[in-house]
């Protein structure tokens, strides 16, 4: 049986990718979601092992130095990394496709890392807002960041939107159900290739 595929889903903060991914897992329960490690503090309501594994900086650097991350990056002063063991176990032993919800730099580096590996097929999908104005308003209303954090995140949005041309697919989150259906179609098609 073929290995599972590795789907990297990115998009600017506030675009709604978290909710899309959650629904996608309900629609296709064979998909496995990789939970990243981060050194940032949990936001209200976030649970260890669910949204992220919340770990110390020391532990993060130790894991990184031991080759424990498929990729990692630093955002807003905190580290984020994808645990390599989980991803490879799901794909090669359990034959399941894996979703990574990671930023643009991480996604493109995963794509590049496996570009010449016939056993690991990486598909990158960018979730884009219908307009930038709409995204700004969603970010401001989320209320989970202070003003300085929000400013940094806005600058980052600009950068991320410019990177979408490098993705295999771009799905516009204009209408939630439509976007979910399109995302699911892309994934089912790629899974069966
Ligand atoms: P947040 O703090 O809002 O949860 O995440 C900040 C950024 O980190 C988002 O763009 C998110 O996609 C990205 N991110 C989350 N996990 C990972 C990861 O494992 N690797 C990388 N490179 N980025 C991640």
């Amino acid at each position: 049986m073929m290995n599972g595929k590795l789907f990297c889903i990115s998009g600017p903060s506030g675009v709604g990718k978290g909710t899309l991914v959650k629904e996608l897992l309900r629609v296709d329960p064979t998909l496995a979601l990789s939970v990243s490690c981060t050194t940032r503090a949990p936001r209200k309501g976030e649970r260890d092992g669910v949204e992220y594994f919340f770990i110390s900086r020391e532990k993060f650097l130790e894991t990184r130095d031991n080759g424990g991350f498929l990729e990692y990056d630093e955002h807003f002063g905190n580290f984020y990394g994808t645990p390599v063991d989980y991803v490879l176990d799901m794909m090669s032993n359990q034959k399941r496709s894996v979703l990574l919800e990671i930023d643009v730099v991480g996604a493109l580096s995963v794509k590049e890392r496996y570009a010449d590996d016939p056993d690991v097929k990486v598909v990158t999908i960018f979730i884009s807002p219908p307009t930038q104005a709409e995204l700004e308003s969603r970010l401001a209303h989320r209320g989970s960041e202070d003003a300085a954090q929000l400013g940094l995140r806005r600058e980052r949005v600009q950068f991320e939107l410019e990177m979408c041309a490098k993705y295999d697919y771009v799905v516009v989150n204009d209408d939630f159900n439509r976007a979910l259906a399109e995302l699911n179609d892309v994934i089912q098609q790629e899974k069966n290739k």
Side-chain angles (χ1 to χ4, degrees), residues 9-14 17 34-38 40-41 43 46 51-52 54 60 69 71-76 78-83 100-107 109-110 142 144-145 149 153 156 160:
I9 302 187
S10 314
S13 349
K17 61 184 182 298
S34 163
V35 177
S36 297
C37 296
T38 183
R40 98 157 150 65
R43 294 193 189 112
E46 285 183 333
E51 283 79 12
Y52 288 104
F54 296 97
F60 192 99
F69 294 123
E71 60 74 43
Y72 76 95
D73 202 1
E74 191 172 0
H75 303 286
F76 322 113
N78 292 304
F79 286 115
Y80 296 77
T82 305
L100 302 184
E101 193 194 322
I102 60 178
D103 81 302
V104 290
V105 175
S109 87
V110 172
R142 192 160 76 170
S144 55
E145 266 82 35
Q149 280 274 334
R153 280 177 184 260
R156 176 79 191 177
E160 298 212 335

